[in-house]
Amino acid sequence: MPRFRQILDTMAPYKPGKAVAAPDGRSYKLSSNESPYGPLPSVIEAIAEGARQIHRYPDAGAIKLTEAIAERFDVPFGHIALGAGSVTVAQQLFETVGEPGVEVVYAWRSFEAYPLLADLAGVKSVLVPLVEEKHDLDAMAEAITDDTRMVFVCNPNNPTGTAVRRRELEAFLDRVPERVLVVLDEAYHEYVRDADVPDGLTFYRDRPNVGVLRTFSKAYGLAGLRVGYLIAQEPVAAAVRKTIIPFAVNHLAQVAAIASLKAEDELLERVERVVKERTRVREALIAQGWTIPPTEANFVWLRLGERTLDFAAACAEQGVAVRPFAGEGARVSIGSPEANDAFLSVAKAFPR
Ligand SMILES: *Cc1c(COP(=O)(O)O)cnc(C)c1O
């Protein structure tokens, strides 16, 4: 029998959001925080054109895409590290700091990929419980030891949607030693409307230990193509670039991301429609008697405790796929108005 790493026996595998269908065939996937809109014609065109090149390896350095991101955010080219989705960039970050004995601090519950990536990189996860579904930044600062090399702050937090504010984040960053890398995972940044929730890029410019993780998967609607990036000062970005698997970001992802940046106004209009739906859904749920934490992302969080799996089953019966976390609650993505109505009608009928 071949022998494997021990951690594989205990590691919880990543569970992707499922699609479900009602007996009448209706199916609404609100389990993966995807954009409810299909790709823009201009993006499809770029992909179709790009398809003519797929007998060639992609540009390993993704030069044109990196230039486009640098220009868009007014950051130096050398401050960008790309990956096949920001999950992969997160994996690269864990590989960059990971060594036996190293600790990485993050809130829990937060993005399900973190514990998996920590286990794979062989580092110890230090989980700091959320307080009222929000990051407890004081406790996170206190959790930092001599062995800590990285802290993840998911802002807004997946799966609760809550966001940390500028002042508290600044105070936290002031407390973190410079030898500890702070990664601000801003996968849902484009959905933030609270003016007190900071843009992480405002922190990284004068803090060499801060990196900002962004993705094309959510607001830009390219989840299926896999492209995301880190923006951080040169030493951090350069270290992360060293860990990339050659040619990880494929050509179609590169051209689609460039086309998406060109079509950003159109895409952000769609984001605005999702934000309006988010307000409608949250207010409807509150009117139904639910307690829903304020959300700055494209999903809502329902505290369901022991009833979580029953709720997910009730949703599935109506063709609505949600993301349940047994014993805790369910995360429900904001979808099309029709999908949201289907979800709201299940929520209305469910005992609370
Ligand atoms: C969705 C998500 C990501 C990004 O996913 P990719 O598709 O790999 O870019 C990263 N972080 C969080 C918190 C997410 O929810």
Side-chain angles (χ1 to χ4, degrees), residues 85-87 111 154 158 185 187-188 215 217-218 226:
S86 61
V87 168
F111 188 33
C154 188
N158 176 2
D185 185 345
Y188 302 97
T215 178
S217 295
K218 308 284 161 55
R226 318 304 305 129

Side-chain angles (χ1 to χ4, degrees), residues 138-157:
D138 282 334
M140 288 176 74
E142 277 152 29
I144 292 171
T145 70
D146 289 345
D147 294 325
T148 308
R149 287 208 183 155
M150 186 163 69
V151 180
F152 260 78
V153 178
C154 188
N155 201 34
N157 188 46

Side-chain angles (χ1 to χ4, degrees), residues 51-338:
R52 297 177 190 283
Q53 290 300 317
I54 57 170
H55 60 303
R56 304 286 183 197
Y57 281 103
D59 172 6
I63 304 288
K64 285 189 179 146
L65 175 55
T66 308
E67 282 171 351
I69 294 169
E71 189 182 329
R72 165 65 182 84
F73 294 103
D74 192 23
V75 299
F77 184 93
H79 287 198
I80 297 163
L82 283 160
S86 61
V87 168
T88 312
V89 187
Q91 176 174 28
Q92 291 177 248
L93 282 157
F94 277 93
E95 299 286 346
T96 302
V97 301
E99 231 154 31
V102 164
E103 294 178 357
V104 174
V105 173
Y106 50 88
W108 201 249
R109 175 166 291 281
S110 189
F111 188 33
E112 304 122 276
Y114 301 152
L116 182 73
L117 300 179
D119 285 352
L120 283 176
V123 307
K124 184 180 165 199
S125 288
V126 176
L127 308 182
V128 179
L130 299 174
V131 172
E132 291 176 4
E133 278 107 16
K134 280 161 60 184
H135 276 72
D136 183 350
L137 291 178
D138 282 334
M140 288 176 74
E142 277 152 29
I144 292 171
T145 70
D146 289 345
D147 294 325
T148 308
R149 287 208 183 155
M150 186 163 69
V151 180
F152 260 78
V153 178
C154 188
N155 201 34
N157 188 46
N158 176 2
T160 56
T162 54
V164 300
R165 303 267 153 50
R166 185 171 293 104
R167 286 253 184 81
E168 50 180 335
L169 188 55
E170 205 156 29
F172 170 75
L173 293 174
D174 287 342
R175 283 183 69 182
V176 177
E178 260 193 32
R179 62 177 170 78
V180 175
L181 177 60
V182 180
V183 179
L184 305 174
D185 185 345
E186 297 188 338
Y188 302 97
H189 172 72
E190 296 81 2
Y191 296 95
V192 171
R193 290 296 176 273
D194 181 339
D196 289 333
V197 175
D199 173 342
L201 294 178
T202 59
F203 291 116
Y204 110 93
R205 293 177 201 274
D206 47 286
R207 293 181 194 258
N209 66 328
V210 171
V212 179
L213 211 45
R214 296 272 178 93
T215 178
F216 284 97
S217 295
K218 308 284 161 55
Y220 294 83
L222 297 184
L225 276 174
R226 318 304 305 129
V227 54
Y229 56 96
L230 173 84
I231 296 179
Q233 289 192 22
E234 180 83 32
V236 175
V240 172
R241 283 195 296 266
K242 286 183 187 171
T243 65
I244 195 166
I245 305 293
F247 309 112
V249 184
N250 75 71
H251 183 60
L252 302 183
Q254 293 185 31
V255 296
I258 292 168
S260 300
L261 285 172
K262 283 204 184 110
E264 193 172 40
D265 290 349
E266 235 173 312
L267 291 167
L268 294 183
E269 259 172 54
R270 293 171 157 196
V271 167
E272 183 58 29
R273 274 183 259 161
V274 170
V275 168
K276 290 211 169 84
E277 276 294 289
R278 170 178 85 194
T279 305
R280 181 178 78 89
V281 168
R282 182 166 179 265
E283 284 173 358
L285 290 167
I286 289 170
Q288 289 174 9
W290 293 92
T291 303
I292 308 292
T295 171
E296 294 294 324
N298 64 343
F299 49 84
V300 289
W301 173 252
L302 281 74
R303 280 173 209 155
L304 286 147
E306 296 309 317
R307 298 169 306 153
T308 300
L309 296 184
D310 289 344
F311 182 80
C315 287
E317 264 170 42
Q318 300 302 317
V320 179
V322 303
R323 181 69 70 98
F325 297 95
E328 294 175 56
R331 186 194 74 196
V332 186
S333 310
I334 303 298
S336 65
E338 185 192 341

Side-chain angles (χ1 to χ4, degrees), residues 16-22 26-32 34 315-316 319-323:
K18 288 185 294 193
V20 295
R26 283 180 314 147
S27 176
Y28 306 104
K29 188 164 177 245
L30 301 181
S31 53
S32 297
E34 295 152 336
C315 287
V320 179
V322 303
R323 181 69 70 98

